[in-house]
Amino acid sequence: MITTVRVPRRPGVVLSGVGFGAAPIGDLYEPIGDDRARATVDAAWDGGIRYYDTAPHYGLGLSERRVGAALAGRSGRTLSTKVGRLLALDDAGALRQVRDYSRDGVSRSLEASLRRLGVDRIDIVYVHDPDDHWEQASAEAVPALCALRDQGVIGAVGVGMNQSAMLARFVAETDVDLVMCAGRFTLLEQPALADLLPTAAGRQVGVIAAGVFNSGVLARAEPPRDARYDYVQAPAEVLAKARALADVCREHGTTLPAAAARFPRTHPAVLGVVLGMSSPEEVRQNLALPCPPDELWADLVARGLLSPRYAGVV
């Protein structure tokens, strides 16, 4: 059963503990077609998922359009999208991405997302991957979104990144309500334990863990040689660690993907996880993953496969 949780700083925003990551239905790895995309969202809805995360970046707006069409007329859902990677027309009339973390860029991006999604309000808006744009993102994008939040135009403000250090800085220095941390608090690696998670806990800022399978290397009971890590071929040392994790999971009567999906939610600062899914079968498999025994985590710390910082967290 999927639990629900409220964003601590914005209790009117309610999330399902497992969210639907819509990058794959924006043809992230392969073209999947409108029918399969719709069937995937339908399977997530039927399985109890009520939080759906998308972005203009995913398929140059394709993901947003597919999510909007699939959720049309459905109440009780929570929807998030992102700003900062704005879609614009080039000289040939084709869509391209432009990094724009200005106030005007935020406004234009959000207006376009509302049209693609077919909605008049978005529950959560994240600033998307501002790694090289701290000054503009912190001084313009976040304040612009906070103003919209305070006017009731959006429900909550966040930042989403593939790193934890700058997310911790956003939490400490700006008025964000939650952050999405992709790939940096997973069964494979936990740098967020040193910076983001204690900072977020101290300021009551919620954390959403994304990329919990690290692009695929943790998604199967036995990681294959061609497994992906951070969107590319997993290097040998990453593959070796993933297989060592899989061995310990088997010893505890569970599987690597079950442990990977559950692990981030063991930290009290983490509100939930977002899982990218591209087919109804994948949705059903993820929702059927069992909860691993609590003893697993302590054993992984003892064997040096989890950060020692994790000891005593749960």
Side-chain angles (χ1 to χ4, degrees), residues 35-90:
D35 290 344
R36 178 171 149 190
R38 177 61 180 264
T40 304
V41 176
D42 287 346
W45 186 269
D46 292 343
I49 293 177
R50 294 296 181 267
Y51 173 39
Y52 296 81
D53 175 69
T54 184
H57 174 60
Y58 306 153
L60 294 176
L62 180 62
S63 173
E64 287 186 318
R65 290 193 294 272
R66 285 173 167 171
V67 167
L71 293 180
R74 288 175 165 164
S75 61
R77 89 290 183 273
T78 297
L79 184 62
S80 64
T81 192
K82 305 178 181 73
V83 297
R85 304 182 76 159
L86 181 67
L87 300 185
L89 294 175
D90 62 18

Side-chain angles (χ1 to χ4, degrees), residues 16-303:
S16 51
V18 175
F20 182 90
I25 68 166
D27 294 353
L28 174 62
Y29 294 121
E30 59 175 340
I32 67 171
D34 290 344
D35 290 344
R36 178 171 149 190
R38 177 61 180 264
T40 304
V41 176
D42 287 346
W45 186 269
D46 292 343
I49 293 177
R50 294 296 181 267
Y51 173 39
Y52 296 81
D53 175 69
T54 184
H57 174 60
Y58 306 153
L60 294 176
L62 180 62
S63 173
E64 287 186 318
R65 290 193 294 272
R66 285 173 167 171
V67 167
L71 293 180
R74 288 175 165 164
S75 61
R77 89 290 183 273
T78 297
L79 184 62
S80 64
T81 192
K82 305 178 181 73
V83 297
R85 304 182 76 159
L86 181 67
L87 300 185
L89 294 175
D90 62 18
D91 293 339
L95 279 176
R96 62 187 177 90
Q97 288 192 41
V98 179
R99 296 277 187 167
D100 190 339
Y101 299 91
S102 68
R103 290 178 181 273
D104 180 65
V106 165
S107 178
R108 288 187 290 124
S109 182
L110 190 54
E111 288 175 4
S113 289
L114 288 168
R115 289 194 299 270
R116 285 189 292 266
L117 288 161
V119 298
D120 57 11
R121 187 177 187 274
I122 297 173
D123 302 289
I124 303 166
V125 181
Y126 297 100
V127 179
H128 200 182
D129 291 342
D131 300 73
D132 299 320
H133 303 270
W134 161 262
E135 294 297 336
Q136 190 175 50
S138 62
E140 295 191 48
V142 171
L145 291 176
C146 289
L148 293 173
R149 177 198 63 200
D150 296 344
Q151 296 163 19
V153 177
I154 63 177
V157 175
V159 180
M161 303 181 74
N162 292 287
Q163 59 156 295
S164 61
M166 189 179 286
L167 284 178
R169 188 177 179 190
F170 274 105
V171 170
E173 299 182 28
T174 73
D175 191 26
V176 295
D177 303 305
L178 72 171
V179 294
M180 180 175 285
C181 181
R184 306 288 82 87
F185 185 57
T186 71
L187 195 67
L188 186 69
E189 53 189 290
Q190 305 88 43
L193 282 169
D195 42 41
L196 173 61
L197 293 173
T199 307
R203 290 181 58 86
Q204 291 189 304
V205 171
V207 177
I208 302 296
V212 300
F213 298 130
N214 285 105
S215 296
V217 72
L218 304 181
R220 298 186 189 180
E222 181 60 30
R225 281 188 293 180
D226 62 349
R228 291 190 189 96
Y229 167 75
D230 278 1
Y231 308 105
V232 298
Q233 172 75 42
E237 63 273 16
V238 169
L239 194 56
K241 183 174 182 180
R243 288 175 172 171
L245 288 164
D247 290 342
V248 180
C249 288
R250 275 192 293 271
E251 291 178 24
H252 285 266
T254 191
T255 66
L256 182 61
R262 175 62 186 168
F263 170 73
R265 288 180 284 168
T266 63
H267 195 285
V270 175
L271 302 180
V273 299
V274 166
L275 305 180
M277 296 176 275
S278 63
S279 70
E281 294 75 22
E282 196 169 23
V283 172
R284 289 189 281 269
Q285 288 170 8
N286 283 335
L287 293 181
L289 292 171
C291 188
D294 291 340
E295 296 79 14
L296 172 63
W297 318 123
D299 194 8
L300 289 172
V301 172
R303 300 191 192 203

